[in-house]
Structures are given as structure tokens and as C-alpha cells.
Amino acid sequence: MALRAEISTNLRGQEQRHVLRRGDSMVIGRGRNVDFHIEDRSVSRRHLKLDHKQDGVWLTDLGSSNGTLLGGHPLAPNSPSLHYGSEEIVIGEIPIRIKMLARDESTRNLFSLPFLPREEFEVLGLAGRGGLSTVWAARQKLLGREVAIKVLTAPVKDAESEDYQRFLREARLYTKVVSPYIVQLYDVRLAEETPYLVLELVRGPSARARIDRGQPVTVPEALKVGEEMAHALSAVHAAGIVHRDIKPSNVLLTHQGIAKLTDFGLGKHLSDNTITSLNLGMGSLPYVAPEQARSAREAGPRADLYGLGASIFHMICGRPPFEFASGEDLVQRLERVRSEVPPPMSSLHGVPRPLEDLVASLLEKLPQNRPGDAGQVARKLRELRERFFPQFKGRTYFDETWAG
């Protein structure tokens, strides 16, 4: 992304500018100890924090009195949102502009999406990359909504190719599941040999991104994220689908305080036995159930619940149940997943014993020893949160310390 960003505003005819380099942060406000001072009563003393990270500039309203608007939408307090480069920012009553001054090689071609109808979509910026696909943020002009465009990276030369069929299968699985805790699919298209999905855009980071930025999720937050993941899995399993890739990086956290499950790229309908590649559907080893590590075809709903337990473990402990040394080969790693018991969570302060027991039951080696119903797991997680953390309101997963 851009190497530098210029932050500017015009206050009563006076232009103010500040250059924010990648890796730096700044606070905008009316107080004395801020990086960008704006003397206006509509602006709080510490109003807005900007963080220029690898993926762009993140905005965090610091609990201001008059709020912050991004693209006309209010930001939830203390909830980072990614600015994609073209949206208007207003703090209090003062407009702020962010201009990218220099781009690296990966960003020069960012808006070069010839397959995307220009009269329909305005590309806002890069939202993420995966092994087989890239995701851009865009605005759908006619409907006036922001969307995510998920593109298969390699052009389609053969409609029967495994990657293309997997991409279409992901789209079909999205259409079969409706839940407030699952990213919504709006459309699937094929243009100029390039298939792409039009999805709901979630502005917040993934649970994994938050952990990687140095702050494990608190126990009550993990309980609520886990509860919402379980609700998502309940809807997935009710539709006869197994996700097979449950992990923190596939859980997006909105700034309204909702966890949304995404990425059905490894998913399959339980009636579908067409697996053409040996390792397709294996998932990410630190979160994969032993039966799925043995054979992707054996993965059923309880394999997803294993991934849920591993994700809750990672959110609370700051690391997954299994960490692999660089010298371990695949066979050694698979053997550890099948035979080793994850370390206990009891050494961590503030983890209730019933929660540790629930996570341990989700991580049982044999699927028949795990809970059998995602809805029941969701209710249990809620009961634990209300019992041990009654003061937690669950309105946001973010705080100012994480945003930095």
C-alpha cells in the first residue's frame, strides 16, 4: 500500500497538513498533547487516531463527543475501521482528507481491474489476499453500498479446472446459508475469464489480525466471539454443510461488535463426495480435527466444532493449541495433531474452569466425544459469559490500546 499518507484539513481558510509514514500513528484533536491540533469546539480533545499500517490507514474514534463519519457512516467508538482512500472523513463538523503520496509496486496496479464494470463499481482499495484469491473493497454505485470483490487470482482457461469448480462451489454454499453471523453473498459473476464474488464488506479486522497486533482477545470477548461463531456454524450445519476451515483469520470482527464467519473455499455439502485433490479440504493444521487431518472426506460438523475450540483457545491464549517447529515435516505435524493433547488453559489468569472444560471437550480427539450441536455450544458459551462476566455488555471487541 501507500508508503506515505498526507492528512489535511481547511479550517477557516487555513490549510493544515501532516505526513503520516507507514508504521506511524497520530492523534487528531483539540487538546494540547495531540499530533494534529484542530481548534474547533466540535472536535474533542482526543478525537481520532490514525494508524498507517501495511494494509492502509486505520481510523479509530477515541470516544469523541460529536463522533466521526467515514463515508457518511458514523464510526463506533474505539473500533478501528480501514480507510480505503476515497471516502470522506468528518470529525465533529470538520472535514479531513487523506491522500496517498507514494505507492509500492503492488499498489500501482491496485485499481487495474479491467473485468469490473466501471459504470457499476468504484474500487476503493485492497482488502486482503489469499492463496487462490484476492479481495478488493469497492462501492456499488447504483445501490450506494460498499462491497467486497473476491477474485480468483489466475484467469480461467478451463471451466472444469479444480480451482474454478471450487470457487463456484464456494458461491453456491454461501447462497444456502443465511445468518447475521455469516458474511453475505450478493452475486457471482464471470467476466473476461475472471470469476468473482460480490460479498458484504466487513470493515473490521479478523480475529487473527487483532491477536497478531499484540493483544489477545479478553476472556469475555472470546466467549462472545465464540458464541457468534457457534451460531454461524449452527446455520451452516442446518443447511447440510461443513465449513472445514474454522480459524481466527476466517472470523471478521465488525465495528458494531459482531463476529462474522467467512471463506467457504474449503466447505462442502455433506452429500457431495467429489473431492479431486488429496489435500483439498485439509484446512489449517493448528485448527484441524484429527479425523480431518487423516482425510478431508471424514470431516463432519464436529470437525468444525473442533476448529471452534481451537479458535477460542487461540483468542484467549494468544497462540493456537499446536505450534509447529520449522524443522517438522508434514507427517510429524499430522501425528502431533492426532495424538498430542493441547496444553491446559488453567495457567492463564481469569479463565473459568467450566470454560476450560468446554474448550477441552471441543478439542477431543474422537469426534463422538465432542459436543454434537453447535447451537448448544452457543448457549453454553453465553451462559458462561453471563455467569462469570455479567458486567460485560459485548458492544465492541476493540479498545484504544489494540488500535495502536
Side-chain angles (χ1 to χ4, degrees), residues 363-383:
L363 294 176
E364 284 282 354
K365 298 299 183 185
L366 297 176
Q368 61 266 32
N369 292 339
R370 297 176 210 137
D373 181 78
Q376 292 179 0
V377 174
R379 290 189 288 274
K380 182 63 176 178
L381 289 166
R382 183 182 185 88
E383 290 171 5

Side-chain angles (χ1 to χ4, degrees), residues 80-381:
S81 292
L82 184 58
H83 178 264
Y84 290 110
S86 62
E87 305 112 314
E88 181 185 45
I89 305 166
V90 179
I91 64 171
E93 300 174 358
I94 306 300
I96 300 291
R97 294 181 298 279
I98 298 180
K99 179 182 178 182
M100 300 306 183
L101 299 178
R103 301 182 183 273
D104 60 22
E105 203 58 42
S106 65
T107 309
R108 286 197 179 97
N109 298 321
L110 182 63
F111 300 102
S112 178
L113 303 177
F115 60 87
L116 207 61
R118 293 186 179 182
E119 67 278 6
E120 184 178 2
F121 294 101
E122 174 192 358
V123 180
L124 302 175
L126 183 65
R129 293 184 188 274
L132 296 175
S133 60
T134 305
V135 181
W136 280 273
R139 181 177 292 109
Q140 200 167 9
K141 298 177 183 178
L142 184 61
L143 298 178
R145 68 181 177 187
E146 294 178 344
V147 297
I149 306 293
K150 184 173 182 177
V151 186
L152 193 61
T153 303
V156 175
K157 301 299 183 183
D158 179 6
E160 300 302 318
S161 69
E162 189 171 298
D163 290 346
Y164 180 54
Q165 289 301 315
R166 171 181 163 183
F167 201 73
L168 290 183
R169 183 166 59 247
E170 177 180 10
R172 294 188 186 108
L173 294 179
Y174 265 117
T175 66
K176 296 182 184 298
V177 187
V178 178
S179 168
Y181 307 112
I182 295 176
V183 170
Q184 184 178 354
L185 173 72
Y186 298 138
D187 202 0
V188 57
R189 302 184 186 181
L190 176 62
E192 300 182 10
E193 298 185 336
T194 304
Y196 62 95
L197 308 183
V198 183
L199 297 155
E200 171 189 3
L201 178 66
V202 178
R203 281 193 167 273
S206 69
R208 177 62 185 266
R210 170 172 171 173
I211 297 167
D212 289 347
R213 291 181 183 186
Q215 185 189 10
V217 183
T218 66
V219 175
E221 288 176 319
L223 283 165
K224 190 166 190 298
V225 174
E227 175 193 338
E228 291 169 347
M229 291 174 67
H231 280 307
L233 287 176
S234 181
V236 169
H237 298 160
I241 295 168
V242 58
H243 187 280
R244 299 196 302 183
D245 200 18
I246 301 300
K247 57 185 178 181
S249 58
N250 281 340
V251 180
L252 303 180
L253 308 177
T254 76
H255 60 233
Q256 289 88 6
I258 299 174
K260 287 182 176 279
L261 180 64
T262 188
D263 197 347
F264 282 76
L266 296 185
K268 75 160 199 168
H269 199 278
L270 290 172
S271 63
D272 180 11
N273 293 315
T274 58
I275 302 294
T276 56
S277 175
L278 179 63
N279 292 324
L280 183 61
M282 179 178 285
S284 301
L285 270 184
Y287 314 96
V288 167
E291 69 273 16
Q292 185 174 345
R294 182 168 52 249
S295 170
R297 298 187 185 188
E298 294 186 29
R302 295 189 187 198
D304 284 345
L305 290 176
Y306 182 100
L308 172 62
S311 297
I312 295 173
F313 186 103
H314 191 170
M315 286 189 286
I316 293 175
C317 300
R319 56 180 174 80
F322 295 100
E323 293 183 297
F324 304 110
S326 58
E328 290 180 286
D329 60 26
L330 181 60
V331 173
Q332 292 172 311
R333 295 181 181 190
L334 289 173
E335 182 56 33
R336 288 186 58 194
V337 169
R338 294 169 185 152
S339 60
E340 283 189 19
V341 177
M345 302 171 66
S346 55
S347 59
L348 293 175
H349 176 71
V351 179
R353 180 58 185 266
L355 172 58
E356 182 178 6
D357 291 342
L358 177 59
V359 172
S361 71
L362 292 168
L363 294 176
E364 284 282 354
K365 298 299 183 185
L366 297 176
Q368 61 266 32
N369 292 339
R370 297 176 210 137
D373 181 78
Q376 292 179 0
V377 174
R379 290 189 288 274
K380 182 63 176 178
L381 289 166

